[in-house]
Amino acid sequence: MTAVQETQAQRIARQKRAELLDGAIAELLEHGWRGLQMQAVAKRVGVSRQTMYNSFDGREGLAAAMIDHLSRSFLEGFEQAFVSQDDPIEQWRAGIHYLLRRGSEDPALRTMLGAGA
């Protein structure tokens, strides 16, 4: 096995972390930053509150992980839009179109970038 291959345990851990982050984003959208609680996320996802703290080292760590998660998703989408075109001008148009569309349609991204963040 090479260093690039992901073990089953690593894959499961990555999937669980993504599930926790998706639950946290859903809570964020319902309750905003001030109402985001580790216990509520844990209950939504079906894990213990301690699992949340072990995974993210508190609310600030959860917020940082959510920002990282959404940023990566946004950048991957931008890259896909960009490389979908051959002409450099069309690449930039596709990227900008993605940026505007995603920024207007993604409530999680808008909330993360909003004034309450």
Side-chain angles (χ1 to χ4, degrees):
M1 179 164 70
T2 67
V4 182
Q5 289 178 315
E6 185 178 46
T7 67
Q8 183 177 2
Q10 289 170 324
R11 188 179 76 254
I12 290 168
R14 181 180 45 78
Q15 289 170 340
K16 179 51 94 174
R17 184 174 177 87
E19 185 180 343
L20 296 174
L21 289 169
D22 289 341
I25 290 168
E27 283 291 315
L28 173 71
L29 293 174
E30 286 183 27
H31 305 289
W33 281 108
R34 295 179 198 263
L36 182 64
Q37 298 177 357
M38 300 291 275
Q39 179 65 37
V41 176
K43 183 176 180 182
R44 178 183 287 266
V45 180
V47 299
S48 71
R49 186 175 68 104
Q50 190 59 49
T51 296
M52 291 297 299
Y53 280 95
N54 291 345
S55 298
F56 300 106
D57 197 30
R59 193 169 179 259
E60 292 79 19
L62 175 60
M66 290 166 62
I67 291 168
D68 182 63
H69 179 71
L70 286 171
S71 297
R72 287 176 191 272
S73 170
F74 175 81
L75 291 173
E76 287 170 5
F78 181 86
E79 181 180 15
Q80 288 174 359
F82 192 86
V83 300
S84 70
Q85 303 295 319
D86 294 325
D87 178 67
I89 292 173
E90 292 305 314
Q91 287 177 327
W92 281 107
R93 282 191 181 136
I96 291 168
H97 183 259
Y98 172 81
L99 171 107
L100 295 172
R101 188 182 76 250
R102 176 85 185 260
S104 67
E105 295 175 356
D106 188 333
L109 189 60
R110 284 197 318 270
T111 300
M112 294 292 274
L113 299 173

